[in-house]
């Protein structure tokens, strides 16, 4: 192989590493792209300002398609403040068929029942690209209770490919 070709291969590898490209192992870790976003609204009576913190659920398939799948899937759970900003990136939450009530458009997560409403790609991207939103709020450190999910930049890349 000519010396120039080797140099170009090394330069290309360096550029990919510097750009933060996912390695094949990282891409396989989270499977296919996340393509659907849902706001979750508490179906029961909220405690205090609990209904101010609206969960955002990101899935690879629609909830209706997931209901038909017998195996549980990991979904990204993000807590928003008033749908304006990301208050906390919760992580991956496994959800199976038994947690979905398609007829009532409800899903059970962590012993709470929520009504779900699908939102558009532009709304998901607005939150992911501008996580601080427009409403100034305090964001205290909260320890992770769930497994870590893909980074925000990966989720942004996933949703940018959705048409």
């Amino acid at each position: 192989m000519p010396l120039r070709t080797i140099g170009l291969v090394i330069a290309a590898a360096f550029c990919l590493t510097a750009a933060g490209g996912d390695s094949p192992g990282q891409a396989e870790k989270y499977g296919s792209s996340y393509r659907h976003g849902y706001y979750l609204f508490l179906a029961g009576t909220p405690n205090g300002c609990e209904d101010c913190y609206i969960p955002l659920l990101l899935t690879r398939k629609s909830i209706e398609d997931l209901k038909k799948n017998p195996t549980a899937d990991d979904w990204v759970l993000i807590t928003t403040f008033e749908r304006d900003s990301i208050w906390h990136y919760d992580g991956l939450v496994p959800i199976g068929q038994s947690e979905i009530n398609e007829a009532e458009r409800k899903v059970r997560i962590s012993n709470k029942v929520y009504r779900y409403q699908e939102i558009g790609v532009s709304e998901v991207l607005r939150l992911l690209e501008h996580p601080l939103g427009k409403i100034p709020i305090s964001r205290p450190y909260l320890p992770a209770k769930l497994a870590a999910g893909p980074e925000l930049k990966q989720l942004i890349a996933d949703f940018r490919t959705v048409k």
Side-chain angles (χ1 to χ4, degrees):
M1 188 182 295
L3 189 57
R4 179 182 167 127
T5 304
I6 293 172
L8 289 174
V9 169
I10 292 171
F14 178 75
C15 288
L16 286 173
T17 302
D22 285 343
S23 68
Q26 282 180 304
E28 290 170 11
K29 181 178 178 181
Y30 299 113
S32 61
S33 299
Y34 287 87
R35 309 182 71 73
H36 298 272
Y38 297 89
Y39 279 132
L40 304 178
F41 301 96
L42 197 58
T45 305
N47 293 324
C49 194
E50 188 176 24
D51 59 347
C52 298
Y53 299 95
I54 300 167
L56 171 65
L57 193 63
L58 304 178
T59 65
R60 294 178 182 101
K61 297 177 184 175
S62 70
I63 289 180
E64 292 76 17
D65 287 342
L66 292 165
K67 175 66 176 169
K68 299 171 191 170
N69 189 353
T71 59
D73 195 14
D74 286 332
W75 302 356
V76 173
L77 184 63
I78 297 172
T79 302
T80 72
F81 179 74
E82 296 284 348
R83 295 178 284 178
D84 172 69
S85 61
I86 293 176
W87 188 67
H88 186 255
Y89 185 145
D90 300 283
L92 294 177
V93 59
I95 301 195
Q97 283 181 323
S98 62
E99 284 88 18
I100 301 169
N101 182 334
E102 189 178 353
E104 295 181 16
R105 298 189 56 79
K106 292 181 180 177
V107 63
R108 185 177 59 242
I109 300 174
S110 301
N111 296 320
K112 291 186 182 185
V113 177
Y114 297 92
R115 291 176 293 109
Y116 61 86
Q117 175 186 0
E118 189 160 14
I119 61 173
V121 172
S122 60
E123 177 75 3
V124 174
L125 282 171
R126 181 190 63 79
L127 278 165
L128 297 177
E129 292 174 339
H130 306 286
L132 297 180
K134 296 179 181 176
I135 301 171
I137 61 170
S138 174
R139 290 178 176 82
Y141 170 76
L142 298 172
K145 294 181 182 176
L146 300 172
E151 294 182 16
L152 285 182
K153 68 180 182 177
Q154 180 60 51
L155 292 170
I156 291 168
D158 286 355
F159 277 93
R160 282 189 181 158
T161 64
V162 178
K163 299 291 180 201

